[in-house]
Amino acid sequence: MNIFEYRRKADLTGRTDTYRANNVTRSSAARPEPPSAKAAAKPETTAAQNTAKVAEQKVRGRRRPLRNGTKDRWYYSSNLQTFQQQVSGGNKNESAALEDETQQKKTLKFIKLMGDDRFEGEQIKEIYRRHPIHIFFLAKPLWFLLPFTFILMIVALFINFLWLGVVPLMLINLLFIIWYVNDWSNDYLLLTSRRVILLERVTFIDDEKTEIPTEKVQETRIATRRGAIEFLFRVGTVTFVSTSKTQIVFQRLKKPEELRGVVEGMTKSFMIARGAYRKERTLNYLRNKALNEPLIDYNAKEDSRIKNAIEAPGWWERNFPSLPVLDAANKRYIWHTHPWFLFKKVFWHSFMFVVMVIVGIIGLPFLIRLALPGWLIAGILILYVVILLVQVFLFWYKYEDWLDDRFIITYGAFQEKVMNIKKLPFGFDETVNTVLIRNIQDVQSIKPGLLANFLNYGTVKVSVTGGSGVEFVNVPDPENIRDEISRYIELAKFAQEDADDRRNADVMIGFMGSMLQDFSRRLGVPPSQDTK
């Protein structure tokens, strides 16, 4: 028991109701004493003596217990206690309880914002929101509309019919304010033990998520006090730059200087945790080689995040796919452009085909009754058939063009890659853009516009160092694709580290075996079969 724990125990002794009750009962049973004897034995103290005693305790720097919200929890403000807390972590049980409660709140908030997009063991460090002054910069139309409405209200006090225009303007102002407050409340900056995430959402219109893995953050820029408003409200701009030059910019963050320490601590914690993880995994591999202990699959809990993938598609899903298709034989997931864009491509050709069929059904009997020359009727029929066939051909061509464009993620061991295939019918032109997942620096998903959010389609941008990257354009459920790519980035990184660690472990085992053989040879002992 260290001095901190001893003094804490001594202070708690006598301060709890339970201890007081037990102490009184124990004292009364052990040595009963009349109240008169106690009064005679203990001299009375005056108010002046009590004041002098309190002053003396203050001079000596005695502890001042501060009661926490929970019963029987105490904090101390003396220098000795502060030092002991810094050295030994203070009250470990208390700190652990408070830390667990804070982490649980952050985790629930993260799940509310990101859904199932969370790695096994990922800790939520901080969740930031912009300062409310950001609403002032968002609501630029109100800079003119609010003063105009106010002036019109003053004039309407003298001209009554102007209230017919003031009331709608007041409602419009109110709707604008609600809209901009909602826009401000949906933007977040999330820092976790593995990545930096920016959420930019506009309800029903836009949904954008950008993330950078922690080890890929090359630069953190903090710009503050660049104007009177920023100086007055102590807000600034934070910029994270990845190795692929992708930027996460979060404006008007309150007290951005504090973020620097959080990022540095997050990076340090990440490197320490990664080192401990690799050490544990390497030790498990060495024990497997030396003692035949079973190998642990450290990625067993990292399940796939692809939702509603079809492993055995039927006729409709093969020809009009709207969900990802799982090709288990080739270990890959396949997406196509959202069916809405197929509808946009073939709508007019389908419409013209239906119109031509209706015209043929109605117009053919009428054409026969006209008693036109045979060659003219034949020419009209040939032209009609040609137009009909052209519409059918254009429909098929655009359908094949839509179906041949594919977006693929492969998940074979050390073959994880992202592919974008653009192909025209008849094989005239085919472009295949391939990026290895281990070379991906960051991933971004965007759902632009009201229709994109309603139909749940968007674009996924994959950035690499020194290249153009890959884009999945107008694919269904882009957030799901982004989450899966992020998961494969982590798995590919772990697999590469595991391969390196096992290679180093094999070298060490081989070296130790050679040393044992040489040592046995020098002692004249025949080497065992296990060391060969």
Side-chain angles (χ1 to χ4, degrees), residues 235-303:
V235 297
T237 300
V238 179
T239 304
F240 297 93
V241 184
S242 71
T243 51
S244 63
K245 303 305 179 183
T246 297
Q247 295 187 0
I248 288 180
V249 182
F250 201 69
Q251 303 94 345
R252 300 178 187 92
L253 177 67
K254 185 178 181 181
K255 297 180 180 180
E257 299 88 352
E258 299 178 357
L259 183 65
R260 191 187 306 276
V262 175
V263 174
E264 291 176 356
M266 182 179 68
T267 305
K268 183 178 179 181
S269 300
F270 173 79
M271 299 307 294
I272 292 174
R274 179 57 59 84
Y277 173 78
R278 295 182 67 173
K279 180 180 178 181
E280 179 184 356
R281 189 173 54 189
T282 304
L283 184 61
N284 174 251
Y285 181 73
L286 289 173
R287 287 177 175 174
N288 174 261
K289 289 292 185 180
L291 306 175
N292 292 326
E293 291 187 4
L295 283 173
I296 300 175
D297 184 5
Y298 289 90
N299 297 323
K301 296 182 180 180
E302 291 289 353
D303 298 329

Side-chain angles (χ1 to χ4, degrees), residues 206-207 246 274 431 433 436:
D206 192 15
D207 190 346
T246 297
R274 179 57 59 84
T431 303
N433 192 1
L436 296 178

Side-chain angles (χ1 to χ4, degrees), residues 347-364:
F347 172 76
W348 287 110
H349 305 297
S350 304
F351 177 76
M352 290 298 298
F353 178 82
V354 173
V355 169
M356 293 297 295
V357 170
I358 294 175
V359 169
I361 295 175
I362 298 176
L364 185 60

Side-chain angles (χ1 to χ4, degrees), residues 366-379:
F366 177 76
L367 184 65
I368 295 175
R369 286 198 300 268
L370 291 177
L372 296 175
W375 61 270
L376 183 58
I377 295 177

Side-chain angles (χ1 to χ4, degrees), residues 112-350:
K112 181 180 179 181
L113 294 173
M114 299 289 291
D116 297 332
D117 179 19
R118 186 184 175 204
F119 295 106
E120 179 68 26
E122 184 177 20
Q123 294 185 351
I124 316 305
K125 298 296 184 181
E126 294 293 341
I127 299 177
Y128 294 100
R129 179 183 284 177
R130 292 187 173 97
H131 192 279
I133 194 61
H134 184 67
I135 302 173
F136 174 76
F137 293 91
L138 286 176
K140 290 181 180 180
L142 294 178
W143 294 1
F144 167 78
L145 196 56
L146 279 175
F148 177 75
T149 305
F150 181 73
I151 294 173
L152 199 61
M153 287 175 59
I154 296 176
V155 177
L157 296 175
F158 304 96
I159 305 174
N160 292 331
F161 73 87
L162 288 180
W163 286 105
L164 297 176
V166 171
V167 174
L169 279 177
M170 292 175 64
L171 293 176
I172 292 173
N173 286 324
L174 181 61
L175 291 176
F176 266 117
I177 292 173
I178 294 174
W179 176 264
Y180 288 123
V181 169
N182 179 68
D183 184 12
W184 164 80
S185 64
N186 286 328
D187 297 341
Y188 289 91
L189 176 66
L190 298 91
L191 303 181
T192 76
S193 58
R194 295 194 182 184
R195 49 192 171 152
V196 179
I197 306 171
L198 174 65
L199 301 182
E200 294 273 0
R201 290 173 175 169
V202 180
T203 306
F204 304 124
I205 292 181
D206 192 15
D207 190 346
E208 181 177 346
K209 295 181 182 179
T210 306
E211 67 177 53
I212 302 176
T214 302
E215 69 274 15
K216 301 295 177 64
V217 176
Q218 297 294 100
E219 182 183 359
T220 302
R221 291 198 299 265
I222 299 177
T224 59
R225 303 178 182 178
R226 295 185 299 178
I229 293 180
E230 289 192 356
F231 180 80
L232 181 62
F233 292 95
R234 300 180 64 186
V235 297
T237 300
V238 179
T239 304
F240 297 93
V241 184
S242 71
T243 51
S244 63
K245 303 305 179 183
T246 297
Q247 295 187 0
I248 288 180
V249 182
F250 201 69
Q251 303 94 345
R252 300 178 187 92
L253 177 67
K254 185 178 181 181
K255 297 180 180 180
E257 299 88 352
E258 299 178 357
L259 183 65
R260 191 187 306 276
V262 175
V263 174
E264 291 176 356
M266 182 179 68
T267 305
K268 183 178 179 181
S269 300
F270 173 79
M271 299 307 294
I272 292 174
R274 179 57 59 84
Y277 173 78
R278 295 182 67 173
K279 180 180 178 181
E280 179 184 356
R281 189 173 54 189
T282 304
L283 184 61
N284 174 251
Y285 181 73
L286 289 173
R287 287 177 175 174
N288 174 261
K289 289 292 185 180
L291 306 175
N292 292 326
E293 291 187 4
L295 283 173
I296 300 175
D297 184 5
Y298 289 90
N299 297 323
K301 296 182 180 180
E302 291 289 353
D303 298 329
S304 174
R305 298 177 186 176
I306 300 296
K307 300 176 182 177
N308 302 322
I310 301 175
E311 189 169 356
W315 179 88
W316 179 262
E317 285 298 334
R318 285 198 306 269
N319 294 279
F320 299 95
S322 59
L323 297 174
V325 176
L326 172 59
D327 185 1
N330 297 313
K331 296 184 178 180
R332 61 181 185 175
Y333 288 97
I334 303 173
W335 286 265
H336 293 79
T337 307
H338 195 279
W340 166 251
F341 294 90
L342 173 62
F343 175 78
K344 290 173 63 177
K345 285 184 175 182
V346 303
F347 172 76
W348 287 110
H349 305 297
S350 304

Side-chain angles (χ1 to χ4, degrees), residues 335 337 404-409 417-423 430-435 460 469-473 475:
W335 286 265
T337 307
D404 289 341
D405 294 343
R406 291 167 292 166
F407 309 98
I408 301 174
I409 298 178
K417 55 188 176 182
V418 176
M419 302 175 62
N420 183 359
I421 300 177
K422 297 288 186 180
K423 183 180 178 182
E430 182 175 0
T431 303
V432 180
N433 192 1
T434 304
V435 171
V460 179
V470 173
E471 287 191 6
F472 289 9
V473 182
V475 290

